[in-house]
Amino acid sequence: MDQYYHLIEFLHLEGLREKHRLELENLTLTTEPVKTVKFFVLAVLQYLKRTVLYLLAHGGWLMVLCTIGVLVGILLLTIDGPHEKHVEELRQYVQFGLWWVALGVASSIGLGSGLHTFVLYLGPHIALFTLKATQCGRVDIKSAPYDTIQLKRGPSWLDKNCIEFGPPMFSSLESMRVPLSSILPQIQMEAILWGLGTALGELPPYFISRAGMLYTLLAKWNVFQVPNPLFDLAGIMCGQFGIPFWKFFLATLIGKAIIKTHIQTVFIISVCNNQLLDWIENEMIWVLGFIPGLASALPNLVSKLKAMRAKYMATPPPMSSTTKVKKWDLSFTLIWNTIVWLMIMNFFVQIVTSTAQKYLKKQQDKELASMQSNES
């Protein structure tokens, strides 16, 4: 009789586990949008409640200082006075910093499922600035350090004529080149901030692995979301083997925000500033010079290629205010922004879905534990 009851209990638990598994699989924004959003909101509220209680218990003074700081900030933003100019400047710097850090976090968070924001934002920003500096022959084209690509606006220097910046500071008649050492400091801050964000985005795998939750999450993870083997798995292994937090984070920060970002930045500047192209051109000329019949034709061919490049890189003449510019309804910018927004929406959907599923899994575990304790 006892074996019969144990068998019934086992089958009942297995049936409940299978039911829970199906509920988790079906809990998505496409199949059950209302339920998914509901669990996501409950999970966020639960996290905020725990955070507030923790701060009240362990950081009362921190809460008081943060509250005072928020109140002072609100007063400065709402009250008119001579301080408005400085407050606006500070707001622009804060927005600039948060923007590039957030892009870095979005690039690396999510075990490889994040947005490729270097390709979407930082890389094009570096390339456009380098091309503009090369065309104009000067690097002081920003109105401020925060004059960069952002979500709803582009930099002010992008659409300006070079004549508005003044005469060229670097001679561009022969090499069409501005020194790399002059361009790098102009876009170095946003690159480092982006790298800082990518380092911060590597922390979730580290903490998840350290908390012993890694394999449960990886078992549920979508097959297409492959971890980045260079850093995600490094964070996983460091958390698994108990590497101290500051040792892991500082090493990741140096590798990502200092070494990796500077390698990428210097490469893009070298390509857009013709330094890498000049080196390739010289090597190709040297190699082709050994081919019979080409040695005599090379000088004429090289001069034509340099003339074409000079024509492309030349500063366009200023347009009069009466000149009408033809605008395409379906522009490249529109298509690019549409792709970016679709990727952002997909990223947001993944976050909402995974958070809601995690909340539901906790509720299911509580139900199973309660049932097992009652039966025992």
Side-chain angles (χ1 to χ4, degrees):
M1 186 63 69
D2 289 341
Q3 292 180 349
Y4 174 76
Y5 282 122
H6 284 307
L7 179 61
I8 294 296
E9 291 173 4
F10 174 77
L11 293 176
H12 184 59
L13 288 174
E14 286 300 313
L16 186 60
R17 290 193 180 97
E18 180 65 18
K19 177 187 173 184
H20 287 171
R21 186 184 66 79
L22 294 175
E23 287 180 349
L24 282 174
E25 289 181 356
N26 294 327
L27 188 66
T28 62
L29 284 173
T30 55
T31 56
E32 297 185 63
V34 176
K35 190 175 180 180
T36 304
V37 172
K38 174 187 173 183
F39 284 156
F40 172 74
V41 172
L42 290 174
V44 171
L45 292 176
Q46 187 181 71
Y47 174 77
L48 292 176
K49 179 182 176 181
R50 289 178 179 175
T51 302
V52 171
L53 292 176
Y54 177 84
L55 291 175
L56 289 174
H58 299 87
W61 283 108
L62 179 62
M63 283 288 293
V64 172
L65 292 175
C66 290
T67 304
I68 294 174
V70 170
L71 292 175
V72 171
I74 293 174
L75 289 175
L76 291 175
L77 289 173
T78 54
I79 297 176
D80 297 335
H83 64 276
E84 285 183 292
K85 180 178 67 175
H86 303 290
V87 171
E88 176 63 21
E89 188 80 2
L90 178 62
R91 187 188 68 81
Q92 293 284 359
Y93 276 105
V94 171
Q95 182 178 332
F96 162 77
L98 291 178
W99 166 254
W100 287 109
V101 171
L103 286 180
V105 172
S107 177
S108 61
I109 200 170
L111 289 175
S113 64
L115 297 171
H116 300 288
T117 53
F118 184 87
V119 177
L120 295 174
Y121 289 100
L122 183 59
H125 169 68
I126 297 170
L128 289 173
F129 183 88
T130 304
L131 289 172
K132 192 71 174 182
T134 304
Q135 286 179 348
C136 300
R138 55 192 304 147
V139 296
D140 55 342
I141 58 178
K142 284 185 178 181
S143 61
Y146 50 77
D147 188 12
T148 63
I149 293 176
Q150 294 195 23
L151 183 61
K152 294 184 179 180
R153 63 177 177 85
S156 64
W157 45 263
L158 188 59
D159 296 324
K160 287 184 178 180
N161 293 317
C162 290
I163 195 173
E164 299 182 44
F165 303 117
M169 300 175 64
F170 301 94
S171 176
S172 58
L173 295 177
E174 293 184 1
S175 62
M176 301 292 292
R177 181 190 304 171
V178 178
L180 185 148
S181 58
S182 299
I183 297 177
L184 182 60
Q186 302 298 322
I187 43 84
Q188 197 170 23
M189 182 55 67
E190 44 264 45
I192 292 176
L193 289 171
W194 181 85
L196 171 62
T198 61
L200 294 174
E202 301 298 338
L203 294 182
Y206 171 83
F207 286 120
I208 290 172
S209 178
R210 194 161 186 174
M213 301 163 56
L214 171 67
Y215 297 106
T216 303
L217 288 179
L218 287 180
K220 294 167 53 182
W221 211 259
N222 192 297
V223 68
F224 296 106
Q225 298 169 353
V226 181
N228 182 337
L230 296 179
F231 285 99
D232 284 333
L233 292 183
I236 290 169
M237 298 306 294
C238 287
Q240 196 73 20
F241 290 103
I243 301 298
F245 167 75
W246 285 111
K247 188 175 183 179
F248 165 74
F249 180 68
L250 289 177
T252 306
L253 182 65
I254 293 171
K256 289 213 158 196
I258 306 299
I259 300 175
K260 178 186 174 184
T261 54
H262 280 81
I263 292 174
Q264 293 173 318
T265 303
V266 168
F267 175 77
I268 292 178
I269 293 175
S270 300
V271 171
C272 298
N273 200 28
N274 297 322
Q275 291 174 326
L276 185 61
L277 297 180
D278 285 342
W279 178 80
I280 294 175
E281 177 186 301
N282 293 331
E283 293 299 317
M284 288 294 294
I285 292 174
W286 180 76
V287 172
L288 294 176
F290 292 99
I291 301 177
L294 283 179
S296 59
L298 273 178
N300 187 32
L301 178 62
V302 169
S303 62
K304 287 182 178 180
L305 290 175
K306 288 186 175 181
M308 291 174 59
R309 187 177 66 180
K311 182 179 178 182
Y312 172 75
M313 296 300 297
T315 304
M319 299 177 60
S320 63
S321 58
T322 58
T323 305
K324 293 183 178 180
V325 181
K326 183 178 179 181
K327 293 184 179 179
W328 297 91
D329 293 331
L330 189 62
S331 63
F332 174 77
T333 303
L334 177 62
I335 298 173
W336 183 260
N337 288 338
T338 303
I339 294 173
V340 171
W341 275 108
L342 288 175
M343 295 182 68
I344 292 175
M345 289 173 62
N346 177 61
F347 187 54
F348 177 75
V349 167
Q350 289 182 5
I351 291 176
V352 172
T353 302
S354 61
T355 304
Q357 289 178 348
K358 185 178 179 181
Y359 179 84
L360 177 60
K361 185 67 170 62
K362 288 182 178 180
Q363 302 302 315
Q364 291 174 347
D365 291 341
K366 289 180 181 178
E367 183 181 357
L368 280 173
S370 176
M371 180 174 292
Q372 288 174 345
S373 63
N374 291 335
E375 290 178 354
S376 62

